[in-house]
Amino acid sequence: MLFGRKAHRIKRILIVEDEPLIAFDTEHSLTEFGYEVVGTVDSVEAALEFVAKQKLDLLLVDLGLTDGGNGVEVAAEARRHGMHVLFVTGRCPKGAESLGIGCLEKPFTQRDLKAALDAIETLLSRGSVKKVPPGLTIFAENASAA
């Protein structure tokens, strides 16, 4: 395809975020980037429902959620279902390496989000990323399992 959007390996994304403005901006940007946002939720319970019932390619998961739950629980369940998780948070949780493909630090710009998703796409397609964008940590443990 000469002029158009590059085909994504990641197509269906769930946003798990408790801050409404961040969730809205992220959903808008992902749609603009050509991804299908299957839902935006702010609680562990709602996220786990999506994981159980939907085929998702990637979850963008914050840690603190409105029901007092933790995004680590969502990531663990998503991992059990063979889904990839990118933590999007101010501080990566301990043990995140075993649950997610990476961590994008908040605050981030939409340009940072796009660069992070491009790096994840590259990782899933080819297995290595030459230049990791600022604010993104890729977990080597899960890069080979991608």
Side-chain angles (χ1 to χ4, degrees), residues 4 13 15 27 47 52 55 62 79 97 101 110 117 120 122 126-127 144:
I13 299 177
I15 300 168
E27 183 173 344
K55 164 81 172 90
D62 190 13
R79 181 88 170 155
E97 299 84 2
I101 198 164
Q110 298 316 305
L117 291 172
I120 299 296
T122 298
R126 294 193 294 259
S144 60

Side-chain angles (χ1 to χ4, degrees), residues 26-89:
T26 302
E27 183 173 344
H28 176 76
S29 294
L30 291 173
T31 302
E32 289 291 313
F33 301 154
Y35 295 98
E36 176 187 352
V37 177
V38 298
T40 301
V41 298
D42 62 0
S43 70
V44 170
E45 181 181 352
L48 294 179
E49 278 186 44
F50 269 95
V51 169
K53 296 178 181 176
Q54 297 277 334
K55 164 81 172 90
L56 304 169
D57 299 311
L58 181 70
L59 286 80
L60 301 182
V61 179
D62 190 13
L63 289 184
L65 301 172
T66 58
D67 59 359
N70 191 307
V72 170
E73 183 180 345
V74 175
E77 188 63 19
R79 181 88 170 155
R80 281 190 283 280
H81 281 81
M83 300 172 186
H84 296 292
V85 172
L86 176 63
F87 287 102
V88 181
T89 184

Side-chain angles (χ1 to χ4, degrees), residues 120-136:
I120 299 296
E121 290 272 2
T122 298
L123 180 68
L124 294 175
S125 297
R126 294 193 294 259
S128 71
V129 176
K130 290 184 178 145
K131 184 178 179 194
V132 177
L136 176 66

